[in-house]
Amino acid sequence: MSQPPRAAAPGDAHHPLRAWWDAFAAVAAGVAAMAVVAALGLWAAGAEGLPGGAFPSVLAATLVTAVGGSVELSGGAGFFARTGASLDVVPLSVTLAGALAVAVVFLLPLRHRAVASGGELLGRIARTALLWLVALVLITLAARHTFRIDLGDSLIGDIGAALGATPVVGFRAAMGPTLGLGLLWLLVLLALAVAVSRKTPLPSRLLRFQDAVRPAAFAMLVVLLAYVVVGLVVGVVVLCTRGHTAETFAVLLLGLPDLAWLAFGVGLGGTWDGRVPDAIGLPFPEALAAVLRVKHGTAAVNVSSLAEQDGRAWLLVALAVVALLAAGFVTAVRSPAGTPPWRHGVRLAVALAVTLLAVGALTRISARFGLSLLGVGDLGGFGGEVLLRPRLWTLLGLGLLWGAIAGTLGGVLAWRVHRRGEL
């Protein structure tokens, strides 16, 4: 006699409460990881001393920008003066911490599953996305504050004080763009997590794509994380030998991947255009800061310009070559036996091109602050502008070229290595 179907137990992976708990755990882990890293980084940067209890608001704004959200800056000084400010930068240390936490917790319930239907996978993503939007709404509402700008004893400060034109600048997260871009960030992250993890089951309709996508995607993830680890080691060495404890910790906790992945792109031959005013001190490496400090126009940041300031910049080329050869080898080893080397080259070329485009988009910086008194001035005389933007088409071409070479060579090097599918 057949037994009746067993009801889903509270611990069953298909139980609604368990499914919602899994989604909540992924969102909570991501927000907590980002908040801890951002808070420590802002504390190291001295943000805990901001007036008016602004630290929680600045922390929330940092989380917003970390997931691609938009923070609007505005200011004014009554009838006589106005301030202008803009900010476009992603604190990638915070982004990376949140991405790793969300991905690991999201994939954990699926790692020991043999199969997963498309409906189940989409359901997990939908529940996680819904709770993620709720978290983003709360963070966005907290990301707003207004500051008064102290102009000091300068002439423009004296004029402003006489006219009662003390400038103020405020910020607030834009709800619509933050929710839209933040949701896109999560969906791309979950798609990449499923694509990279070999232990995560795919729906039957996607199985035919796993051999073409997963090995190369995993290799690129390893390269990016390896560069962050190398950057962390370099940061610790700088911390131990040159001091500047607070500044170094701030860089490591807020912008380490920005510099590490910029080094990756530069090592492959990529170029970024940028500038930094002399009056603004940024925690860039000395060679990079020297290249960016130009009086007019923008400077080209590439391995040649960096090497003019510090000959050790050529080591970035050697590091990139080693990293790509390792990526090609990993791609081949994780692919089915019998895959020809040229196919590894094609797959790694596409993966590297997409990776470099993402690196370029994420490492761009645009920050500007200024004051215009009585309509005189272009808002650039007080504060200036920090700019760093990639040449994306160059990165795309370099990714296709280097990826094809590295993938093919990696396939040749791994030809005699025991691989999946071999007896």
Side-chain angles (χ1 to χ4, degrees), residues 199-214:
K199 294 184 179 180
T200 300
L202 290 176
S204 57
R205 293 183 178 181
L206 298 180
L207 289 176
R208 57 178 176 170
F209 298 108
Q210 65 177 351
D211 291 334
V213 174
R214 280 184 163 173

Side-chain angles (χ1 to χ4, degrees), residues 72-78 81-85 146-147 149 167-171 369-370:
E72 298 174 345
L73 305 179
S74 62
R82 62 190 181 93
T83 56
T146 301
F147 300 93
I149 306 300
V168 296
V169 60
F171 67 86
F369 178 76

Side-chain angles (χ1 to χ4, degrees), residues 258-345:
D258 298 76
L259 295 175
W261 296 343
L262 174 66
F264 177 46
V266 168
L268 294 177
T271 299
W272 275 252
D273 297 308
R275 63 174 174 268
V276 175
D278 291 335
I280 295 180
L282 291 178
F284 286 164
E286 295 180 1
L288 178 58
V291 172
L292 289 174
R293 294 193 186 283
V294 293
K295 294 183 179 180
H296 305 287
T298 59
V301 178
N302 50 44
V303 68
S304 297
S305 62
L306 292 175
E308 292 177 359
Q309 305 295 329
D310 189 338
R312 292 173 295 181
W314 290 109
L315 293 176
L316 296 177
V317 178
L319 180 61
V321 170
V322 172
L324 283 189
L325 285 177
F329 182 82
V330 170
T331 300
V333 169
R334 292 175 67 92
S335 298
T339 305
W342 67 265
R343 186 164 293 175
H344 297 310

Side-chain angles (χ1 to χ4, degrees), residues 117-129:
S117 66
E120 179 189 354
L121 193 58
L122 290 176
R124 287 182 176 275
I125 293 175
R127 285 185 289 269
T128 305

